[in-house]
Amino acid sequence: MNKTALALIALFAFPALAQSEPSFYVSGAIGTIGGGMKTSDDLAGNPPTAPHGAMGGLDTGSKRSFALAVGYQLDPNLQVEVSYGKYEYGDTDWGTDFSGTYNGATATPFSGKLSSDVLFVGVNYLEDFAPNWNWQVGAAVGMARNKFHRAAEGTYAEVRSNAQNEFAFKVSAGLGYKLSEHLKVLGNVDLVSLGRFESAKQRDVDWSSTPNPIAPYKFDTNLQPVVSLGLSYSF
């Protein structure tokens, strides 16, 4: 090997070997979801060709989130990461008024569950502002697998489940506190959009052994606030 080749190897290898800052990190967080979910303005129910069910009165149960991320520190201020997020809305209750105009007093009660699994790719910018403290902001885009679980329609029918892929995105801001060289506590507030949740186009009714076709029940997610707390380990 000639001297020029050795010099080039030394030029690129020695700075990398001398680098003491960890480059990779893994993180996990749990959180709670705020508002932002709403029933669609589209009419739903039977018959599917001319539905007249107006939805309203949405009430979701205990809403929670869970996230795992793997990332790389490009420099002291910039990170790139791939993350998985789970969003659950607990018991989801709403009413459907088949007169075509929603009235809670006359609406038929529905009860089901909504959940989403999301894969994000994003970037974070962070900066120290005090010993062991940093602030950070981030943005990510991804694909959500939104699931509408089976839902009870009154006491006489069940709307079938459905899962679909939707474009998702989020922006975030948070604080980090270093517990050690490798371990950090993270607190974040995200604004997340998961797209639409939609039921199947069939329901099972008490008076028939064959599925009954319907126009699907739909829910839209605007930007939803998600507050989370987690840990990050760098290596």
Side-chain angles (χ1 to χ4, degrees):
M1 185 178 292
N2 61 40
K3 292 181 180 180
T4 302
L6 287 171
L8 289 171
I9 292 172
L11 177 65
F12 290 103
F14 288 165
L17 292 173
Q19 183 178 350
S20 59
E21 290 294 323
S23 294
F24 290 94
Y25 65 89
V26 293
S27 65
I30 56 174
T32 182
I33 307 169
M37 176 82 72
K38 72 180 188 70
T39 53
S40 172
D41 293 332
D42 294 347
L43 297 178
N46 184 268
T49 54
H52 47 267
M55 300 170 63
L58 178 64
D59 181 25
T60 54
S62 177
K63 300 179 287 291
R64 57 182 180 268
S65 68
F66 171 76
L68 285 174
V70 177
Y72 183 77
Q73 190 89 27
L74 293 172
D75 64 39
N77 301 107
L78 192 62
Q79 299 173 334
V80 292
E81 71 176 32
V82 176
S83 63
Y84 163 78
K86 177 78 171 181
Y87 300 87
E88 296 181 332
Y89 296 88
D91 294 327
T92 302
D93 301 323
W94 74 96
T96 304
D97 191 328
F98 294 103
S99 71
T101 302
Y102 183 75
N103 181 342
T106 57
T108 299
F110 284 70
S111 183
K113 291 181 183 294
L114 303 173
S115 65
S116 182
D117 296 277
V118 193
L119 188 64
F120 286 113
V121 177
V123 295
N124 299 315
Y125 180 84
L126 56 159
E127 194 164 305
D128 295 338
F129 66 90
N132 297 324
W133 285 94
N134 74 271
W135 58 263
Q136 66 182 56
V137 292
V141 296
M143 185 67 68
R145 184 66 171 172
N146 292 343
K147 186 167 185 182
F148 178 107
H149 301 256
R150 289 182 73 93
E153 177 181 346
T155 59
Y156 55 83
E158 277 198 345
V159 180
R160 291 191 171 188
S161 62
N162 179 56
Q164 64 193 60
N165 295 328
E166 291 281 323
F167 174 74
F169 66 91
K170 67 176 179 176
V171 293
S172 62
L175 294 175
Y177 180 77
K178 265 190 175 182
L179 298 174
S180 68
E181 180 185 357
H182 298 281
L183 192 62
K184 181 191 293 187
V185 176
L186 293 173
N188 269 319
V189 177
D190 299 342
L191 292 176
V192 184
S193 176
L194 302 176
R196 170 169 283 187
F197 292 80
E198 187 172 314
S199 77
K201 297 178 180 179
Q202 293 176 319
R203 64 175 181 172
D204 297 310
V205 294
D206 290 347
W207 58 84
S208 175
S209 59
T210 59
N212 186 224
I214 59 170
Y217 295 87
K218 304 171 185 178
F219 301 85
D220 295 318
T221 61
N222 298 318
L223 283 175
Q224 304 172 97
V226 179
V227 181
S228 63
L229 184 66
L231 291 172
S232 176
Y233 181 80
S234 56
F235 54 97

